[in-house]
Amino acid sequence: MRIDIITIFPEMFSAVLDESIIKRAQKKGRVKLFVHNLRDYSLEKHRKVDDRPFGGGSGMLMQAEPIFRAVEAVKKKAKGKAKVILLCPQGEAFNQSKAKALSNCGNLILICGHYEGIDERVRQYLADEEISIGDYVLTGGELAAMVLVDSIVRLIPGVLGDKNSLNFESLEGNLLEYPQYTRPAKFRKWPVPEVLLSGDHDRIAGWRKQQALKRTKERRPDLLKKSKQ
Ligand code: ADE
């Protein structure tokens, strides 16, 4: 898989892309990540990428030209079709099933929005999808792009060492994860539930399923409605 990120703050990405699992995924060749400075695609003096809105109003808008040029240049480098995603608060809400679907795409191009907004022609004629990571407004799409990359890359086969670690985690099948414990069996005055020490795998599996359902019902009844269980 190849992911290209177009941003006016390329330096922000090293904190996430050059660490831990994402770094290892790149080393193993499971994913290729490229960060592009949008200003490199500006045709204007001082590498300008924004301008005032037609019709007036406060603030500045990101111009279409540098974004189109950046995406067109990246598309030439990526083999095969690329899906272009604009990160913005107006986009479709991101979730685990979206992460899964995107992890099956060969090429993704993520555009990080900024300023007071973006020229509408980017939405209409360039982006295949618009995605929001939640109902709050960030100063830019960079953190949202990092969230996408992190959640997508860990789903690429071979990225996480233990295959089982993907099987039962939170939100698989729209259920939250069951409670987990490690040694010691009694910490201060709190013992581990007896069933987990029983060695009876069927009983343990039953308990976990029931706990996951209980937790989801209490905390996220909205997920249960979508659940396949
Ligand atoms: N840019 C600003 N806020 C955002 C959000 N919530 N999701 C995606 N991109 C954004």
Side-chain angles (χ1 to χ4, degrees):
M1 180 172 197
R2 172 180 171 131
I3 306 178
D4 289 271
I5 299 159
I6 296 167
T7 169
I8 53 167
F9 292 122
E11 301 81 17
M12 278 178 76
F13 286 85
S14 55
V16 168
L17 306 188
D18 299 343
E19 295 295 337
S20 182
I21 288 169
I22 309 299
K23 182 180 184 175
R24 220 172 342 118
Q26 293 177 85
K27 274 202 174 144
K28 283 205 254 174
R30 305 285 170 177
V31 65
K32 286 196 165 80
L33 294 162
F34 300 95
V35 182
H36 309 272
N37 190 339
L38 181 64
R39 295 190 189 281
D40 294 345
Y41 298 91
S42 168
L43 293 173
E44 302 202 24
K45 249 200 285 181
H46 311 303
R47 293 155 52 86
K48 193 165 97 90
V49 292
D50 63 332
D51 212 329
R52 285 164 298 150
F54 279 121
S58 64
M60 300 288 270
L61 294 183
M62 291 180 93
Q63 293 171 289
E65 176 86 57
I67 300 176
F68 271 75
R69 292 187 72 231
V71 168
E72 282 154 8
V74 166
K75 274 186 171 172
K76 274 189 199 146
K77 286 184 201 153
K79 289 187 209 102
K81 230 187 122 38
K83 182 169 279 216
V84 180
I85 296 172
L86 172 65
L87 283 315
C88 61
Q90 301 92 329
E92 181 193 334
F94 190 59
N95 58 26
Q96 188 67 14
S97 62
K98 192 81 209 164
K100 221 170 208 174
L102 294 177
S103 75
N104 291 317
C105 292
N107 295 302
L108 292 179
I109 301 174
L110 308 181
I111 304 168
C112 305
H114 249 275
Y115 305 118
E116 263 63 41
I118 199 157
D119 189 301
E120 186 65 19
R121 287 163 291 196
V122 172
R123 289 205 159 84
Q124 276 192 301
Y125 306 115
L126 189 64
D128 297 309
E129 289 186 29
E130 296 174 47
I131 292 182
S132 161
I133 62 160
D135 290 339
Y136 40 81
V137 182
L138 302 164
T139 55
E142 281 74 12
L143 286 170
M146 289 184 222
V147 167
L148 257 70
V149 169
D150 192 274
S151 56
I152 290 167
V153 169
R154 63 188 289 287
L155 294 173
I156 299 171
V159 167
L160 292 187
D162 178 5
K163 270 189 254 154
N164 286 330
S165 56
L166 277 181
N167 287 347
F168 295 109
E169 67 182 5
S170 275
L171 301 176
E172 280 300 304
N174 285 317
L175 285 180
L176 299 183
E177 200 167 30
Y178 48 78
Q180 301 209 77
Y181 302 84
T182 186
R183 262 181 268 265
K186 188 168 183 196
F187 169 65
R188 300 201 174 157
K189 58 182 189 228
W190 305 295
V192 166
E194 175 279 324
V195 57
L196 298 178
L197 310 175
S198 69
D200 181 338
H201 295 300
D202 288 346
R203 252 184 89 211
I204 293 171
W207 181 84
R208 285 178 167 167
K209 180 73 183 279
Q210 173 229 325
Q211 289 289 317
L213 278 165
K214 178 170 175 277
R215 185 162 277 191
T216 312
K217 208 172 182 174
E218 285 165 2
R219 299 183 185 192
R220 294 291 306 275
D222 58 308
L223 286 180
L224 221 45
K225 282 188 204 128
K226 289 194 254 169
S227 172
K228 297 177 280 226
Q229 319 305 311

